[in-house]
Amino acid sequence: EIVLTQSPLSLPVSPGEPASISCRSSQSLLRVDGYNYLNWYLQKPGQSPQLLIFLGSNRAFGVPDRFSGSGSGTDFTLRISRVEAEDVGVYHCMQALQTPPYTFGQGTKLEIK
Amino acid sequence: EVQLVESGGIEVQPGGSLRLSCAASGFGFDDFAMHWVRQAPGKGLEWVSLINWIGDRTYYADSVQGRFTISRENSKNSLYLQMNSLRPEDSAWYYCARGSDHSGGQYFDYWGQGTLVTVSS
């Protein structure tokens, strides 16, 4: 089973400032098709998760361009160029390379300072 | 608009059974695999089960293997999770989620709002 480790687990950020979250995998998530099978989700308070980034670096429909995903192999980063109040919540990474099971990171809670 | 609406979550005693449902709308339900994902209060996400588009392939997390059964009824655009021999550690919000393709998917692109299962004596 692939283990994903996120850091930090808590991230206080001032509005307008950048933020980044790391997700490290116990095994490479790069598949022979050239895609990294790593996705990012945001779970806003009291809501279900919503897809932000799929296959490493592709923004889901409707996701603002201040969100970006990067990385390859075992190290991935979610970046927010300028944090807004609506970005608060828990960010989860998820791997879909060796499935089942699909596995998630522990989650990173972003809060506004 | 894609919608997934879960129902069936209640409080049940340890050892009891429960069936969750997920009603889908706004897309071709029989074109996609479907998943159940759960989240204990204050905890992270845990994948529970997968069923492919036609329902002839199913997969389970080790933690629920042999106790839970996933199924679907494409004619009713519905997904189910039969939960037997429930344990306190099964207490969680249960979400249904759409896989990105017919077999399982590289990501889950739509999620329901969740239904809460509490296992307690």
Side-chain angles (χ1 to χ4, degrees):
Chain A
E1 178 176 312
I2 293 178
V3 177
L4 299 180
T5 303
Q6 290 184 231
S7 62
L9 299 184
S10 179
L11 183 57
V13 184
S14 298
E17 292 297 306
S20 66
I21 300 170
S22 170
C23 179
R24 290 189 170 176
S25 174
S26 61
Q27 300 178 41
S28 175
L29 300 181
L30 179 62
R31 199 181 175 194
V32 291
D33 59 8
Y35 290 103
N36 285 282
Y37 280 47
L38 187 285
N39 309 305
W40 291 96
Y41 297 86
L42 166 58
Q43 187 172 24
K44 295 182 178 182
Q47 297 185 18
S48 57
Q50 59 187 83
L51 180 66
L52 284 179
I53 303 288
F54 62 96
L55 297 177
S57 60
N58 300 279
R59 271 191 303 275
F61 180 77
V63 174
D65 60 9
R66 65 179 181 274
F67 290 93
S68 64
S70 64
S72 185
T74 60
D75 291 335
F76 298 90
T77 301
L78 176 71
R79 289 187 175 88
I80 309 172
S81 59
R82 294 173 305 279
V83 170
E84 297 186 5
E86 65 180 23
D87 300 335
V88 298
V90 180
Y91 290 80
H92 307 271
C93 58
M94 183 196 92
Q95 70 83 21
L97 180 67
Q98 291 187 6
T99 59
Y102 296 80
T103 52
F104 295 87
Q106 318 97 299
T108 294
K109 185 174 184 179
L110 186 147
E111 61 180 26
I112 299 296
K113 279 184 185 176
Chain B
E1 179 192 4
V2 172
Q3 282 199 318
L4 299 170
V5 180
E6 302 93 336
S7 61
I10 59 170
E11 182 168 348
V12 63
Q13 291 189 336
S17 297
L18 196 56
R19 188 172 93 148
L20 305 183
S21 300
C22 172
S25 60
F27 67 101
F29 182 68
D30 54 5
D31 286 333
F32 293 90
M34 296 296 296
H35 300 260
W36 288 99
V37 178
R38 69 184 180 182
Q39 184 176 37
K43 301 296 184 182
L45 298 169
E46 180 188 16
W47 174 81
V48 173
S49 184
L50 155 66
I51 188 166
N52 71 342
W53 65 287
I54 201 172
D56 64 347
R57 290 186 182 270
T58 58
Y59 304 89
Y60 301 92
D62 288 346
S63 57
V64 306
Q65 180 78 47
R67 300 187 299 122
F68 290 10
T69 302
I70 190 171
S71 62
R72 64 190 296 160
E73 201 164 353
N74 286 346
S75 62
K76 294 184 177 181
N77 290 345
S78 293
L79 173 72
Y80 307 102
L81 186 67
Q82 178 66 42
M83 310 164 66
N84 297 332
S85 303
L86 282 162
R87 305 166 179 168
E89 56 265 35
D90 295 318
S91 297
W93 283 93
Y94 284 74
Y95 300 100
C96 66
R98 191 180 83 168
S100 57
D101 66 25
H102 64 280
S103 62
Q106 299 84 15
Y107 49 91
F108 308 158
D109 52 5
Y110 291 94
W111 299 61
Q113 86 291 345
T115 188
L116 181 61
V117 173
T118 303
V119 184
S120 174
S121 53

